[in-house]
Amino acid sequence: AQSVTQLGSHVSVSEGALVLLRCNYSSSVPPYLFWYVQYPNQGLQLLLKYTSAATLVKGINGFEAEFKKSETSFHLTKPSAHMSDAAEYFCAVSVDTGNQFYFGTGTSLTVIP
Amino acid sequence: DAGITQSPRYKITETGRQVTLMCHQTWSHSYMFWYRQDLGHGLRLIYYSAAADITDKGEVPDGYVVSRSKTENFPLTLESATRSQTSVYFCASASRQYGQYFGPGTRLTVT
């Protein structure tokens, strides 16, 4: 079975500060891992995905995530937060990119000017 | 336009009424999904479909019915709407290369 835990339902950072959003997963098989972003009143947009290639994955808008098998983690980072990064972020796990996804409960990111 | 669309975008209905939410994708993806999004619960899978005429239950299927007679369409029906089904509903389709594409969502209010 697969599941995802996102630590911290709300995260606040100052503009220009490091963004770190935490995601831990459990999976009985090698996982595919995803981060999605949701802006207010919109659908989910893919930020990046890990599909068993490089463990450090770069995504859109300057975000990246590192797959750490030993820690069963896939934390999302961005070196310098921008006001436009304020949104809801979801981590998801799947056994296949085209198959059923399991989502975390989301982390709401607030960027303080 | 290519993509995944949902209709209606907003819907208000009364308890006990039947409501159908539409989802259409232009990519011919095999997999399609319906989620509901509620505060504190994130996204929960209602139903999914691996191909036309193949559907399966997700985490919260009770009170919902789906069908998939054509690859591109995946309607979700609430047979007798309840207030607990007030939510935002997202449809998604999936490809092996990219992952899941999401529609813009339908905000449903049951009064």
Side-chain angles (χ1 to χ4, degrees), chain A residues 15-106:
Chain A
E15 190 174 17
L18 172 72
V19 176
L20 171 60
L21 305 183
R22 300 178 186 274
C23 173
N24 288 88
Y25 70 91
S26 66
S27 177
S28 55
V29 298
Y32 292 85
L33 294 159
F34 305 81
W35 274 101
Y36 284 83
V37 61
Q38 184 182 31
Y39 299 103
N41 299 315
Q42 295 187 24
L44 277 71
Q45 178 183 358
L46 182 68
L47 269 179
L48 49 80
K49 64 181 185 290
Y50 167 76
T51 56
S52 74
T55 56
L56 182 61
V57 181
K58 294 187 183 297
I60 62 172
N61 301 338
F63 285 93
E64 63 182 35
E66 186 172 8
F67 172 66
K68 291 187 176 180
K69 184 177 179 180
S70 61
E71 298 177 8
T72 61
S73 69
F74 191 57
H75 301 331
L76 182 70
T77 60
K78 182 174 181 178
S80 177
H82 192 274
M83 296 298 295
S84 61
D85 294 327
E88 188 89 13
Y89 292 81
F90 292 92
C91 183
V93 64
S94 175
V95 297
D96 192 337
T97 55
N99 208 320
Q100 184 172 347
F101 279 34
Y102 297 88
F103 283 87
T105 52

Side-chain angles (χ1 to χ4, degrees), chain B residues 35-62:
Chain B
Y35 296 90
R36 59 178 290 173
Q37 184 178 29
D38 305 287
L39 199 63
H41 292 280
L43 282 89
R44 292 182 290 176
L45 183 66
I46 304 171
Y47 269 95
Y48 67 100
S49 169
D53 298 322
I54 301 174
T55 62
D56 208 346
K57 296 178 180 179
E59 181 184 356
V60 288
D62 293 344

Side-chain angles (χ1 to χ4, degrees), chain B residues 58-69:
Chain B
E59 181 184 356
V60 288
D62 293 344
Y64 303 95
V65 174
V66 294
S67 62
R68 194 159 176 217
S69 58

Side-chain angles (χ1 to χ4, degrees), chain B residues 68-86:
Chain B
R68 194 159 176 217
S69 58
K70 293 183 178 181
T71 299
E72 61 267 30
N73 296 324
F74 190 39
L76 175 74
T77 298
L78 289 66
E79 293 189 303
S80 179
T82 65
R83 289 200 179 95
S84 66
Q85 292 177 310
T86 292

